[in-house]
Amino acid sequence: MEKLNCIKTKYFVIAGLLVVCGGFLPCLLLGKGGVYIAHDQLDGEIFSYIFHARHLFDNSRVYPELMNGIGKEGLQMAAPLMVLLFCLLPPMQALFTAGVLIAAVGFCGMFACINRITGNKVIAFVVGGIFAYTPFYTVYGLSVMGIPMLLYAFYGLYRREHRGRNMGLTAFYGAMSSPVLVGFACLGILSAAFVVLLLQKKGGRRREMLWFAAGLFLLSGIYLVCNLSLFVQVLGGGVAGFVSHKEEIVVNAVPVQDTVRELLTDGAMHARGMQKFMLVPIGLAVLCGAVLYKKLTDKEKRVWQVLTGGVCLIFLLILFSTMYKTEWAAEIRNRVGGMIKYTQFDRVYWLLPAFWYIVFGAALFLLWALIARRNRVAAVLAAGCFVLITGGYVLWNSSFKANMRQLIKPANSNAVTWERFYNEEVYAAIDAYIGRDKETYRCLSLGVDPAAALYNGFFCLDGYSNNYDVNYKHQFRKIMEDELAKSEYLRGYFDNWGNRCYLFAAQLAGNHYIGKNSGLVLEDFSMDVNQAKEMGCEYLFSGLEILNAEKIGLEFLDCFETENSYYKIWLYRLK
C-alpha cells in the first residue's frame, strides 16, 4: 500500500473520476431505456427544474401547467443552480448530466476528506469510489453527496488555506443544496464547531476564525438569496390570503426501534448510505484503538480521535432524529402547529451518509495500521474483506446494477425506466386524437401518475407539491369525496398529508402505476364530474377501464398503447 500511496494525488482523482463515469455508462447506452429513481424524482421534484427553466425569463409567479396554476413557491428547487442544466439540455440529458456531476463531487469530496484525515490515498480512493455509487437522488443536488466537500472546505477555512477556493466550494454547495432539506443541519453543526473552536483560542488568536465565520455568512447568504420567496412566505409575506396545505398536516409518530434500525443499517429514504456492513470494522477500530491507545503513533491517535468523534456525532444525530419522531414529540408538534409542526428537523439524518463513510475510512486506516504491524498479508486480507463486502452491497443497490440488468436482460426487468414512466408515444397519440391546444383544457389522471401527462405537455388539475394553497386542496377533495369515504387509508393519506394531490380510487388503494397487463378494472368508481368540470377539467386519463363510466358522467373515447408501452390509457371525456 505504501508504494501505491506514493502515486501523485491527481492520478488517484483522475482514476476515481473514470470509475464514476463508468458507473453511468450503462444508463448512457440505454438512453430513454435507462433506469431512474421515480419516487420523489421523476414523479415530482424534476418538474421544479423543468418549469423554472421554462419560465426563467418570463417573470411568471404562477406556473399554469400544474394544479390549475401553482405559485412558484410550490415548486421550490432543491438545488437552484442545477436549473441551468435544464435550460441548456432536454430534461433527461440534464438529469443524467447532473447525476454524473454530483457523483464526481461526492467522490472528490470524500477522497479529499479521508486523505486529509489519514494521509492514505489508497483508502481515500476506495472509500470515495464506494460513496459515489450510493443510491442518491439527483434532484436533491449536493444536499447529501456534497457534504464531504463542504466539510473539507470549512476545514481549509479554519486552517486559512486556499481561502478563495474554499469560499468558492462553499458557495457552490449552497447553490446546489436545500436549506430546508439539509442546509439547516449543516449550518447548525458548523456553527457549533465555530463556537467550540473559538472558545479554544485565546485573545488575538480568535481572529484566525474570521474566514470560518465568513464561510458561515456566505453559506447563509447563498441560501437566503436562492430561496428568498420561500423565506418571505414563511415569515408571513408572499401572496395575500395564501395558506399552505401544510397547515393541515397531521404528524404521525414512528416507533423508536424502526427509526434506529433504519438509520443504523441502510439509512433513511433520500439519504441511503447502505452502511450496515461498515458497523463491524468501525466497531472493531474504535475498540482496538481504545485498548491499544498508548501504543498508537501520534498520527494513529489523531485518526482514532476523529473516528470516535465521528461515531459520537453519528449517534447524536440518530438520537435526535429518533426522538423527533416519537409519540410525545409528534403530539407537541401537532399541538404547536405552524412551522414547528411541518418542518422535518429530523432530516439531520441527511448528514449521516457522509459521516458514515468518513469514519469508515478512518476505521480502515486504523485497522490496517494495527494489523500490518504483525502481518501485512493479514492486513491486506482484512481491509480487502471489509471493502469488498461493503462495496459489493452498495454496488448491488446502486443505479449501476439496475441499469446493467436493464442493459443485459431488459425482458426480465420490471425497473422503472424513463421511457416506461413518461410513455411519450402514448401521450403523443392522445394529444393527436384530442387535436386541441393543450393550454385550452385541463385533465386528470387515474391509476396513472399525473407526472406522465404533465411531462408530455398536458395541463393538469392533479400533481405533486409540498406547498400549495389549502383552498385548492379542499376544492380538489370534492371530486373524490365518495372514494375517500370508502378508504380510511386514503382519507388519512390525503387529508393528513396531501402532498400528492391525486385522483384516488379506493379499489386501487393509492396505486397510481397500473400496467397495461394488470388485468384490473374499476367496478364501482365514484367521482364528482361536475366539480371537476367547474375546475376546468375536460378529460380523464385512466390506466384501467371504468365499468360504470357512463353512470357517473364519463364518455369513453378510445384506448391508447404501443407495443413497448407500460401503460394502456383509457381516454374519457367529462360529459
Side-chain angles (χ1 to χ4, degrees):
M1 187 178 286
E2 286 77 4
K3 291 182 179 179
L4 289 174
N5 205 43
C6 293
I7 299 173
K8 290 184 178 180
T9 300
K10 66 178 181 181
Y11 295 121
F12 278 102
V13 173
I14 292 170
L17 293 177
L18 289 174
V19 169
V20 168
C21 291
F24 287 87
L25 185 59
C27 189
L28 178 65
L29 295 174
L30 286 165
K32 290 185 177 181
V35 179
Y36 293 87
I37 297 173
H39 179 73
D40 285 352
Q41 181 160 267
L42 298 188
D43 65 0
E45 291 290 343
I46 192 173
F47 292 102
S48 62
Y49 301 102
I50 291 173
F51 290 141
H52 275 82
R54 183 180 298 172
H55 299 286
L56 189 61
F57 300 109
D58 63 13
N59 203 32
S60 295
R61 300 291 305 174
V62 175
Y63 300 154
E65 298 92 336
L66 177 63
M67 298 169 71
N68 237 356
I70 189 170
K72 63 185 299 184
E73 295 83 5
L75 289 174
Q76 195 69 32
M77 293 178 289
L81 188 62
M82 209 161 77
V83 73
L84 296 179
L85 288 174
F86 286 82
C87 289
L88 299 172
L89 299 169
M92 188 188 76
Q93 287 82 351
L95 190 70
F96 176 84
T97 304
V100 177
L101 173 65
I102 291 163
V105 170
F107 166 78
C108 291
M110 187 59 67
F111 176 87
C113 278
I114 295 177
N115 188 38
R116 187 100 196 208
I117 293 167
T118 67
N120 192 302
K121 297 170 192 164
V122 177
I123 291 175
F125 171 81
V126 170
V127 176
I130 297 173
F131 180 67
Y133 275 71
T134 53
F136 62 87
Y137 281 65
T138 303
V139 288
Y140 296 127
L142 295 178
S143 293
V144 172
M145 300 299 287
I147 289 170
M149 176 191 73
L150 183 69
L151 295 175
Y152 180 77
F154 268 87
Y155 183 75
L157 292 173
Y158 168 67
R159 297 288 298 270
R160 293 174 295 168
E161 300 171 351
H162 307 290
R163 289 165 289 190
R165 181 194 67 187
N166 289 321
M167 290 292 278
L169 293 176
T170 300
F172 181 52
Y173 179 80
M176 283 288 289
S177 64
S178 167
V180 176
L181 299 177
V182 72
F184 73 92
C186 292
L187 288 171
I189 294 278
L190 291 170
S191 297
F194 173 78
V195 172
V196 171
L197 293 170
L198 187 67
L199 292 176
Q200 289 178 351
K201 295 186 179 293
K202 304 294 183 181
R205 290 195 63 201
R206 291 185 174 178
R207 293 180 181 177
E208 297 174 3
M209 296 297 296
L210 284 175
W211 280 101
F212 196 103
L216 284 172
F217 278 112
L218 177 62
L219 184 58
S220 302
I222 293 291
Y223 279 145
L224 181 62
V225 170
C226 291
N227 301 272
L228 185 60
S229 61
L230 179 62
F231 285 116
V232 168
Q233 186 187 101
V234 169
L235 294 173
V239 180
F242 175 86
V243 177
S244 175
H245 81 287
K246 291 188 289 187
E247 295 294 340
E248 293 188 341
I249 285 176
V250 176
V251 178
N252 294 312
V254 179
V256 169
Q257 63 272 21
D258 291 351
T259 304
V260 172
R261 186 187 307 112
E262 182 180 53
L263 296 180
L264 277 178
T265 54
D266 290 344
M269 185 186 296
H270 307 132
R272 299 177 69 206
M274 316 308 297
Q275 69 275 354
K276 71 167 65 172
F277 293 111
M278 298 179 189
L279 300 179
V280 171
I282 290 171
L284 284 174
V286 171
L287 182 62
C288 292
V291 172
L292 302 172
Y293 188 77
K294 292 182 179 180
K295 297 181 180 181
L296 299 181
T297 64
D298 289 341
K299 181 178 180 178
E300 290 165 357
K301 286 179 180 179
R302 287 194 298 270
V303 173
W304 184 82
Q305 289 164 3
V306 170
L307 170 63
T308 52
V311 169
C312 289
L313 182 56
I314 284 171
F315 280 102
L316 284 174
L317 293 174
I318 291 175
L319 177 64
F320 179 84
S321 291
T322 301
M323 298 304 292
Y324 195 74
K325 293 191 281 190
T326 55
E327 189 171 344
W328 64 266
E331 184 179 344
I332 291 172
R333 290 167 63 192
N334 285 322
R335 189 180 305 153
V336 173
M339 191 175 70
I340 298 298
K341 178 175 71 171
Y342 55 73
T343 302
Q344 295 177 259
F345 290 113
D346 58 300
R347 281 178 172 156
V348 295
Y349 64 70
W350 284 46
L351 300 173
L352 290 176
F355 289 141
W356 276 119
Y357 279 82
I358 289 171
V359 299
F360 180 53
L364 285 178
F365 172 82
L366 202 57
L367 290 174
W368 162 267
L370 292 175
I371 298 173
R373 291 178 183 177
R374 294 180 175 272
N375 190 316
R376 288 186 174 275
V377 174
V380 171
L381 291 175
C385 181
F386 293 135
V387 166
L388 286 174
I389 293 174
T390 298
Y393 184 62
V394 170
L395 196 64
W396 185 256
N397 289 278
S398 68
S399 63
F400 172 76
K401 178 253 183 180
N403 279 288
M404 278 298 294
R405 182 179 179 183
Q406 187 70 20
L407 190 65
I408 297 170
K409 294 182 178 180
N412 298 330
S413 173
N414 293 318
V416 178
T417 67
W418 186 280
E419 185 176 41
R420 283 178 179 172
F421 191 79
Y422 290 128
N423 271 262
E424 294 174 65
E425 290 184 11
V426 170
Y427 282 94
I430 294 173
D431 181 32
Y433 179 90
I434 294 174
R436 295 167 54 189
D437 188 335
K438 290 196 280 284
E439 292 186 27
T440 63
Y441 60 90
R442 300 294 181 266
C443 65
L444 281 167
S445 297
L446 177 66
V448 181
D449 199 300
L454 187 65
Y455 177 79
N456 285 285
F458 291 91
F459 285 57
C460 305
L461 290 189
D462 41 3
Y464 185 11
S465 170
N466 59 17
N467 186 25
Y468 64 95
D469 197 315
V470 70
N471 293 320
Y472 187 82
K473 178 184 176 183
H474 295 163
Q475 292 175 19
F476 191 90
R477 190 189 193 282
K478 294 176 182 178
I479 299 174
M480 55 177 176
E481 192 167 24
D482 291 342
E483 286 298 310
L484 293 182
K486 299 176 188 176
S487 170
E488 183 179 355
Y489 165 73
L490 288 178
R491 198 161 57 250
Y493 186 74
F494 185 79
D495 291 346
N496 298 341
W497 186 56
N499 282 12
R500 293 190 188 276
C501 192
Y502 288 8
L503 181 63
F504 292 120
Q507 183 183 328
L508 302 180
N511 187 352
H512 45 266
Y513 198 58
I514 306 294
K516 64 182 180 182
N517 298 318
S518 68
L520 294 173
V521 294
L522 272 180
E523 298 177 355
D524 184 26
F525 179 61
S526 300
M527 173 182 173
D528 190 335
V529 170
N530 291 328
Q531 175 65 19
K533 288 171 67 177
E534 283 182 21
M535 296 176 71
C537 182
E538 295 187 43
Y539 296 98
L540 173 65
F541 304 152
S542 179
L544 66 172
E545 184 181 2
I546 303 173
L547 295 184
N548 63 329
E550 284 289 332
K551 183 179 178 180
I552 62 175
L554 297 175
E555 177 189 359
F556 172 68
L557 298 179
D558 206 346
C559 283
F560 300 86
E561 64 176 319
T562 63
E563 183 180 349
N564 297 319
S565 66
Y566 180 80
Y567 301 119
K568 180 178 181 179
I569 305 295
W570 273 260
L571 177 63
Y572 294 93
R573 180 190 286 123
L574 278 62
K575 294 193 292 184

